[in-house]
């Protein structure tokens, strides 16, 4: 499809290549939202305790499938949480399982539930070498954690101090630079040699950091990596709508109860699973690039992960509707990003 004036858009069913499903009752609430729009999702392993073994991933996968409402089709693509002590053998077990599709790097202290993360990537080299050998994708939360580095510079500094040395040492390692937020990351991924790609969230395509402070502090716009300046947002939009297969969809939808978001020390994470494709459609539509949405949302992800593309479809209509302000969640509620606002697209 080419004209942005068309009232309807049908694309191959998309997948979400970066998702937080949580566990237990929280998962029961959020899973149907993702399954309504996406055929598959790469499920983040930052539970408490984290999913560090293939055995734990198998059990988590079963809990996800058990929580899926009858009649909904959805395939969870599992990941392992890399620690300083992940043995190389664990990668072989993960590869042999057929259901673990990637290993995630959380630099220790970088984000929600990252205490067990990696303190120094050099401790993991034996394990990373096996990942390189068997073609296991390495999903990188690309921010340094040094408190002396300005929060807004953490991704750019990571590229120079961690990403470039790592990829020089392991040129065949398949790397996904997760939820990129800067022009530096977009340029690095576009220009680098070797097997690298990046996911981009809908909120980083739609908003810059002003959104967090518009008329007062707005915690539902706080996520990590944090929203950046407008120049960076524009670079991300350009990358996502370029048709370059190195850039694909990852919502990073990350539910936190209202009470811990609207708090003196609020949690990082935006909840977008409810209206993910509507947000992406809006971001692409805004720049007249709806014709590029299908590649970004439905083709380039499976191609990178060496999985088949989906055969079913998703249809969206250009139609105004109001997103619920809050959803019932655990003992309280969950506030979706844009809760109570009018959306321009609607998935049918
Ligand atoms: C994520 C979460 O809450 O698990 N939060 C976020 O702000 N994106 C963790 C992450 O992906 O960094
Ligand atoms: Zn995430």
């Amino acid at each position: 499809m080419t004209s942005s004036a068309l009232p309807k858009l049908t694309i191959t069913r998309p997948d979400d290549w970066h998702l937080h499903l949580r566990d237990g009752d929280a998962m029961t609430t959020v899973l149907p939202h993702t399954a309504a729009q996406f055929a598959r999702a790469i499920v983040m392993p930052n539970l408490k305790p984290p999913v560090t073994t293939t055995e734990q991933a198998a059990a988590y996968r079963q809990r996800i499938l058990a929580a899926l409402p009858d009649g909904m089709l959805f395939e969870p693509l599992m990941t392992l949480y890399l620690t300083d002590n992940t043995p190389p053998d664990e990668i072989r077990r993960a590869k042999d399982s057929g259901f673990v599709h990637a290993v995630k790097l959380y630099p220790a202290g970088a984000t929600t539930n990252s205490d067990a993360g990696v303190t120094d990537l050099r401790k993991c080299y034996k394990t990373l070498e096996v990942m390189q050998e068997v073609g296991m994708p390495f999903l990188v939360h690309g921010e340094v954690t040094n408190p002396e580095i300005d929060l807004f510079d953490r991704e750019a500094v990571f590229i120079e101090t961690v990403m470039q040395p790592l990829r020089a040492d392991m040129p065949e390692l398949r790397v996904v630079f997760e939820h990129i937020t800067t022009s530096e990351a977009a340029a690095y991924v576009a220009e680098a040699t070797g097997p690298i790609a990046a996911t981009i969230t809908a909120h980083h395509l739609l908003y810059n950091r002003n959104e967090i402070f518009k008329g007062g502090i707005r915690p539902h716009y706080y996520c990590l990596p944090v929203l950046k300046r407008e120049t960076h947002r524009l670079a991300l939009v350009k990358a996502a709508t370029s048709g370059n297969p190195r850039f694909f969809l990852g919502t990073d939808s990350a539910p936190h109860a209202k009470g811990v978001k609207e708090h003196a020390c609020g949690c990082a994470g935006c909840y977008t699973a409810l209206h993910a494709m509507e947000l992406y459609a809006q971001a692409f539509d805004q720049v007249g690039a709806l014709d590029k949405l299908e590649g970004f949302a439905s083709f380039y992800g499976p191609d990178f992960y060496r999985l088949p593309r989906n055969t079913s479809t998703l249809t969206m209509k250009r139609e105004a509707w109001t997103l619920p302000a809050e959803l019932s969640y655990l003992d309280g509620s969950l506030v979706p990003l844009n809760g109570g606002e009018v959306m321009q697209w609607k998935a049918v």
Side-chain angles (χ1 to χ4, degrees):
M1 83 145 279
T2 47
S3 166
S4 66
L6 285 180
K8 223 172 163 190
L9 174 66
T10 296
I11 60 170
T12 299
R13 198 161 186 81
D15 304 301
D16 184 351
W17 300 96
H18 182 131
L19 175 68
H20 299 271
L21 275 182
R22 312 303 191 207
D23 209 345
D25 292 343
M27 174 166 73
T28 305
T29 301
V30 301
L31 174 63
H33 301 159
T34 288
Q37 302 200 335
F38 298 99
R40 299 170 287 196
I42 282 280
V43 180
M44 287 296 130
N46 63 330
L47 303 182
K48 266 184 185 167
V51 179
T52 57
T53 67
T54 307
E55 202 181 335
Q56 289 168 336
Y60 185 28
R61 180 170 178 275
Q62 286 311 319
R63 295 197 296 280
I64 297 168
L65 293 174
L68 196 64
D70 284 345
M72 278 192 134
L73 290 176
F74 174 73
E75 189 186 353
L77 307 172
M78 308 311 292
T79 61
L80 298 189
Y81 184 119
L82 186 70
T83 72
D84 286 349
N85 306 312
T86 305
D89 276 0
E90 195 57 55
I91 304 305
R92 297 193 191 279
R93 274 192 289 279
K95 181 73 183 174
D96 291 344
S97 78
F99 57 77
V100 174
H101 293 271
V103 174
K104 177 75 192 265
L105 169 67
Y106 289 103
T111 187
T112 308
N113 299 347
S114 62
D115 299 348
V118 171
T119 60
D120 181 350
L121 210 45
R122 279 165 299 192
K123 292 185 180 166
C124 303
Y125 263 35
K126 288 254 170 331
T127 302
L128 292 172
E129 276 161 11
V130 177
M131 289 171 55
Q132 175 169 246
E133 181 201 317
V134 304
M136 176 68 77
F138 189 39
L139 314 185
V140 176
H141 182 115
E143 290 192 288
V144 293
T145 55
N146 181 343
E148 279 152 40
I149 307 290
D150 189 279
L151 180 76
F152 293 93
D153 296 334
R154 288 182 183 175
E155 187 172 279
V157 172
F158 184 93
I159 297 170
E160 280 170 28
T161 60
V162 184
M163 189 66 103
Q164 285 177 334
L166 167 69
R167 297 196 64 252
D169 290 344
M170 313 247 174
E172 297 308 317
L173 184 64
R174 302 179 65 72
V175 172
V176 183
F177 198 155
E178 295 289 282
H179 44 47
I180 59 167
T181 63
T182 58
S183 58
E184 287 90 343
Y188 174 73
V189 171
E191 290 157 18
T193 53
I196 184 157
T199 55
I200 307 180
T201 78
H203 43 288
H204 289 96
L205 292 175
L206 287 167
Y207 305 113
N208 65 42
R209 64 192 190 181
N210 285 353
E211 211 64 30
I212 310 170
F213 306 103
K214 221 155 89 183
I217 191 150
R218 303 206 301 159
H220 298 290
Y221 288 86
Y222 172 58
C223 65
L224 287 171
V226 73
L227 294 171
K228 304 294 193 300
R229 299 180 169 269
E230 179 66 1
T231 49
H232 296 293
R233 188 189 73 82
L234 292 171
L236 298 176
V237 170
K238 201 172 153 210
T241 59
S242 66
N244 182 338
R246 286 187 171 184
F247 299 102
F248 49 82
L249 184 156
T251 63
D252 196 15
S253 177
H256 291 276
K258 181 180 178 180
V260 294
K261 288 290 293 174
E262 300 177 8
H263 190 277
C265 188
C267 294
C270 298
Y271 187 64
T272 55
L274 182 65
H275 53 315
M277 285 309 298
E278 287 89 340
L279 292 174
Y280 281 109
Q282 187 182 322
F284 278 62
D285 197 8
Q286 248 163 231
V287 295
L290 279 175
D291 59 321
K292 295 291 197 298
L293 183 60
E294 186 176 40
F296 176 81
S298 314
F299 295 162
Y300 309 148
D303 294 353
F304 185 86
Y305 277 83
R306 296 172 168 158
L307 291 168
R309 294 177 180 180
N310 295 318
T311 49
S312 53
T313 59
L314 177 77
T315 297
M316 285 180 282
K317 282 189 298 188
R318 191 193 298 279
E319 180 187 302
W321 63 289
T322 304
L323 197 71
E326 291 184 18
L327 309 164
S328 167
Y329 183 76
L330 302 174
D331 303 334
S333 66
L334 175 61
V335 177
L337 193 72
N338 320 93
E341 293 174 25
V342 175
M343 306 293 301
Q344 297 157 18
W345 283 87
K346 191 165 185 7
V348 288

